[in-house]
Amino acid sequence: MTDLPSLFERAVTAARRLPERPDNDTLLRLYALYKQATEGDADGPQPGFFDFVGCAKREAWEQLAGMTDDEAMRNYITLVRALGAKV
């Protein structure tokens, strides 16, 4: 049985090789789950007001506050698999 961090890393690699680009909402979800899994709750400076992409990413990540890294990894893996990637 593969341990969760190894499986997560395989999912990250698989997500980069998806045959089709996911929609923006899915990309934001992948980003937020990745950040939560690797860094924990959102911290640090807020993006600038006119950095619309940065603000959207930060907001998506902040919505996952309190989620454990293991839970974020599992959700990331599940989402990547749902997108058709073999993990």
Side-chain angles (χ1 to χ4, degrees), residues 48-69:
F49 180 75
F50 291 107
D51 180 2
F52 302 116
V53 173
C55 287
K57 287 179 170 183
R58 178 64 178 237
E59 183 178 317
W61 184 13
E62 286 175 345
Q63 290 176 1
L64 302 180
M67 181 182 285
T68 67
D69 57 343

Side-chain angles (χ1 to χ4, degrees), residues 2-12 73 76-77 81 87:
T2 305
D3 63 311
L4 186 58
S6 296
L7 195 56
F8 175 70
E9 287 304 319
R10 288 189 2 219
V12 170
M73 284 184 201
Y76 186 94
I77 293 163
R81 284 180 173 158
V87 179

Side-chain angles (χ1 to χ4, degrees), residues 15-27:
R16 291 182 182 135
R17 296 180 179 154
L18 288 170
E20 291 185 29
R21 183 183 186 276
D23 62 81
N24 288 339
D25 288 338
T26 303
L27 288 173

